[in-house]
Amino acid sequence: MFAKQTMLSASLLVALGGVATADPSGEGRGYFQLGAGLSSDEGFIAAAAIDQPDLFHTGTELGLFARVSGRRQLFDARFVDPHVLGGTLQLDLYNDRRMLPGFTRQGVGFSARQTYRLSQHVNAWVGYRIENVTVDGVTPLARGSETVYVPAAAGLVSALEAGVSYSSVDLQMRHGSTFGVWAEDADRSLGSTYGFGKIGVWAATHQPIGPFTLHVGGSITALTPDAPLSERLFLDGGSDVRGYAMGDFGPVGGGTLKAVGHASLELPVGHGVSLEGFVDYARISNNDFTSPIGIAHGSGMSAGYGAIWHSPIGPIHADIAYPLDGPPGFFLSLGAL
């Protein structure tokens, strides 16, 4: 069973950086940014970026990005060229370490993605990643009366990815819709230690209703049952369902199917501040193994109300969340629309 607890979450990013340019005209300007924050999900958060979005006036981008917290340490070197084969090529060399329920996942790898703009609102992409994945231990899972060991680490992952997305969101008005679908296949014939697949869909809409704006969105992610432990799906705390911490519900050892949904009604009151009421829901299922303790699937739902400040560094939400099976909690977060 999952823990029932009061959740106090504070996640506030403060921009402390500056901008440097190599020429007085300001063209080809690069920037340097620092950030800091605190979250009950992640603990202390520090972020930094050094980026040149127009390298030598060629339109290419070269940047170094870092994000460090109690749950995740991500370091990423990125190169983007918008003039490759009629589309945009993005290359990333990264080291990504994440704490998950019961173990820590570390991935060191390289990814490449080629994106094409098919129309004003439609983008499509193909990609490839090669990543070496390790974990800090092995978790046994039970199947009936038999105890089996799901591979803990994916080892070497060599995977192809493809997807398509649609977006009509007006970032200034915060109205419109977006949706997309993607799939990834890691195959032994490509060099992967294990073969597994992943597919996902998402959709969201932001619609004016009189003085209100209705926000509705959700996503579904599915894994093949033979996916290693390091690739399985877990509850990501308040970013999935406000009022719950990471791993509060779901199969022990992770799931192979995850559905997340959000709905909220926002009422602007002036000076970039809005009031909101919301409902969050998530369900995580394991279609292959049952857990040695707990349940093979789990779901959680919360409702609440709060305020949003559309600040210069992004929307800041201050919410009171009421989980269906636990005490209310205060939730403060910074995120995108």
Side-chain angles (χ1 to χ4, degrees):
M1 301 297 292
F2 54 84
K4 297 180 180 180
Q5 61 182 26
T6 300
M7 181 177 183
L8 175 63
S9 178
S11 176
L12 179 60
L13 184 67
V14 182
L16 302 173
V19 176
T21 179
D23 61 0
S25 68
E27 297 179 0
R29 173 178 299 188
Y31 67 87
F32 169 68
Q33 287 183 338
L34 289 175
L38 183 66
S39 167
S40 63
D41 280 346
E42 298 192 52
F44 178 76
I45 303 170
I50 303 174
D51 190 44
Q52 172 52 264
D54 188 14
L55 186 65
F56 303 124
H57 304 288
T58 61
T60 59
E61 177 184 2
L62 181 63
L64 298 173
F65 306 90
R67 179 183 172 89
V68 178
S69 71
R71 276 183 50 193
R72 187 176 188 184
Q73 296 86 48
L74 173 63
F75 303 93
D76 182 16
R78 178 175 302 168
F79 175 79
V80 181
D81 189 338
H83 310 296
V84 176
L85 301 176
T88 298
L89 175 66
Q90 177 175 317
L91 306 176
D92 290 273
L93 184 65
Y94 60 89
N95 186 328
D96 188 5
R97 182 177 177 85
R98 289 179 288 158
M99 290 185 63
L100 297 171
F103 66 97
T104 299
R105 180 192 189 278
Q106 173 139 7
V108 179
F110 167 82
S111 68
R113 174 180 287 192
Q114 180 75 12
T115 302
Y116 294 96
R117 187 165 186 171
L118 303 183
S119 70
Q120 180 182 357
H121 300 294
V122 179
N123 290 319
W125 69 89
V126 293
Y128 171 77
R129 73 177 170 107
I130 182 167
E131 181 179 14
N132 185 53
V133 179
T134 58
V135 301
D136 65 357
V138 176
T139 300
L141 300 178
R143 182 169 56 192
S145 61
E146 176 189 5
T147 300
V148 297
Y149 286 85
V150 176
L156 183 65
V157 176
S158 180
L160 296 174
E161 179 187 358
V164 62
S165 66
Y166 168 90
S167 179
S168 63
V169 175
D170 184 324
L171 296 179
Q172 185 173 15
M173 298 297 296
R174 297 188 292 274
H175 294 158
S177 300
T178 180
F179 60 86
V181 59
W182 58 271
E184 184 182 64
D185 180 50
D187 195 277
R188 287 184 172 90
S189 65
L190 298 174
S192 287
T193 304
Y194 301 100
F196 59 91
K198 184 185 296 186
I199 188 170
V201 297
W202 80 89
T205 187
H206 315 277
Q207 300 297 331
I209 303 178
F212 298 92
T213 299
L214 175 65
H215 306 285
V216 179
S219 64
I220 299 175
T221 306
L223 281 168
T224 53
D226 53 354
L229 179 67
S230 61
E231 310 309 302
R232 291 185 174 242
L233 307 171
F234 299 87
L235 179 73
D236 196 22
S239 61
D240 283 339
V241 183
R242 280 165 280 192
Y244 291 90
M246 183 185 70
D248 264 358
F249 60 82
V252 175
T256 57
L257 181 65
K258 179 178 179 179
V260 179
H262 307 279
S264 65
L265 199 60
E266 178 183 350
L267 175 65
V269 294
H271 303 287
V273 177
S274 300
L275 303 178
E276 69 165 346
F278 66 86
V279 176
D280 294 340
Y281 173 82
R283 178 180 174 87
I284 304 174
S285 302
N286 190 335
N287 296 329
D288 184 36
F289 296 100
T290 58
S291 304
I293 57 175
I295 53 178
H297 60 80
S299 61
M301 185 175 183
S302 69
Y305 57 88
I308 309 170
W309 175 36
H310 296 283
S311 74
I313 57 174
I316 297 175
H317 292 250
D319 300 313
I320 302 294
Y322 293 85
L324 291 184
D325 50 7
F330 176 67
F331 186 82
L332 179 65
S333 68
L334 171 69
L337 176 68

